[in-house]
Amino acid sequence: GIAYAHAAGRIVASSRDTGRITTASLDGRVLDEWDLDGARILALDVTPDAALVGVGLCDGGVRLLDTRSRRELWRYETEQCIPRLALCSANRTVLASSIDDTIRVISWAGHLVWQYDGDEAEGFAGAAMSVDGNMAVVGGDDAIHCLAPGGRLLWRHPISGKPALGVAVTPRGE
């Protein structure tokens, strides 16, 4: 995974095979590197100030990391792969999509805030959250879902073809 911390002007990237996380400046200088004990990282996001990094694991689970201390703040275990996640500074949460049709919103303290169990998709691959945390958009094999806080379905738009791997929400919530 790769993410851009715009307020800090940093790029954070991870290796799926080695569990290595690298922080770099915009001119390509490596600022820091550390290993996550060989964890197979599939998804990554970073806060705008680059203080926190969230990772979704191939083998299941989400971790929140403090980049300054290099400490793992918490682990949230799941049985299924986490292909995408998004950090939201406004409401201090992590949105994690799972291939088992489950969307979880986890607080920065590591507790489940809400969960949405999709019954019409065949795994959620894309995930994005509005800047204010009031809207989550997730993509699956057959539809894009928009969710309100608490996991209430606002709308569902069918798609055809490949799964919606990438979804985004503009700063205005569009």
Side-chain angles (χ1 to χ4, degrees), residues 20-113:
R20 177 171 291 249
I21 296 175
T22 302
T23 304
S25 63
L26 293 179
D27 63 7
R29 245 177 340 108
V30 172
L31 302 172
D32 197 9
E33 287 187 302
W34 72 96
D35 292 316
L36 220 60
D37 302 324
R40 295 182 33 198
I41 301 169
L42 189 58
L44 177 140
D45 198 14
V46 62
T47 54
D49 62 359
L52 298 175
V53 172
V55 294
L57 304 178
C58 292
D59 302 325
V62 176
R63 295 184 190 181
L64 189 66
L65 315 166
D66 181 322
T67 60
R68 294 181 180 118
S69 67
R70 291 183 169 189
R71 281 184 340 128
E72 180 179 295
L73 299 176
W74 51 258
R75 292 181 186 200
Y76 187 92
E77 300 296 335
T78 65
E79 293 183 14
Q80 297 292 329
C81 171
I82 304 293
R84 295 284 186 273
L85 57 78
L87 300 183
C88 182
S89 296
N91 65 4
R92 302 174 54 88
T93 59
V94 178
L95 168 71
S97 68
S98 177
I99 62 170
D100 68 351
D101 297 343
T102 304
I103 298 299
R104 293 173 183 87
V105 172
I106 307 161
S107 72
W108 283 3
H111 306 292
L112 183 67
V113 177

Side-chain angles (χ1 to χ4, degrees), residues 149-160:
R152 183 175 56 88
L153 182 65
L154 296 174
W155 54 260
R156 180 182 180 277
H157 180 72
I159 58 172
S160 61

